[in-house]
Amino acid sequence: MPIAMEPERFDELVDQALDGIPDELAALVRNVVVLVEEEPPEGEPDDLLGLYDGVALTERQWMPGVDLPDRIFIFRGPLLDMCADEAELVEEVRITVVHEVAHHFGIDDERLHELGYA
């Protein structure tokens, strides 16, 4: 059975997950915004937990001008639906945040599965 949680509390869990990223890695994350959305966008699976929208650092080429930030979306509804209690939700939010930040660094889903972040 899915759990209920106020949006503000969910945002706190996302912030905690971001704070848990080691400083050495966090310092390398630039021009990225993390957004919490209720549900995945149309055309995406209903159970999608997160989404990285941007160009991985490993694929970037510097070009003059202003770059829009990459975006990491965390989807509240599917995460609440899959978790039975807050402890499980805390862990799933952490895994999802790390998973999406890893995409920013160019780490693919296969490697994330091997590392336990999928």
Side-chain angles (χ1 to χ4, degrees), residues 36-112:
V36 174
E37 297 285 335
E38 191 62 31
E39 298 293 334
E42 193 171 312
E44 294 291 345
D46 291 341
D47 60 352
L48 186 66
L49 305 180
L51 180 68
Y52 173 71
D53 178 34
V55 179
L57 294 178
T58 55
E59 298 175 16
R60 247 176 230 200
Q61 295 180 357
W62 184 83
M63 297 176 74
V66 178
D67 292 328
L68 293 174
D70 291 355
R71 300 178 300 173
I72 291 174
F73 295 97
I74 306 299
F75 301 117
R76 182 176 179 270
L79 281 157
L80 291 174
D81 288 345
M82 75 175 289
C83 296
D85 58 36
E86 187 166 330
E88 183 180 3
L89 180 63
V90 167
E91 181 62 12
E92 289 301 330
V93 167
R94 184 187 71 77
I95 289 170
T96 303
V97 167
V98 169
H99 181 107
E100 300 309 329
V101 169
H103 284 318
H104 176 68
F105 288 106
I107 301 172
D108 65 17
D109 283 333
E110 182 178 328
R111 182 67 178 133
L112 287 167

Side-chain angles (χ1 to χ4, degrees), residues 2-15:
I3 65 171
M5 179 178 284
E6 293 295 320
E8 297 80 13
R9 175 67 181 132
F10 188 88
D11 291 348
E12 289 173 10
L13 298 183
V14 172
D15 289 342

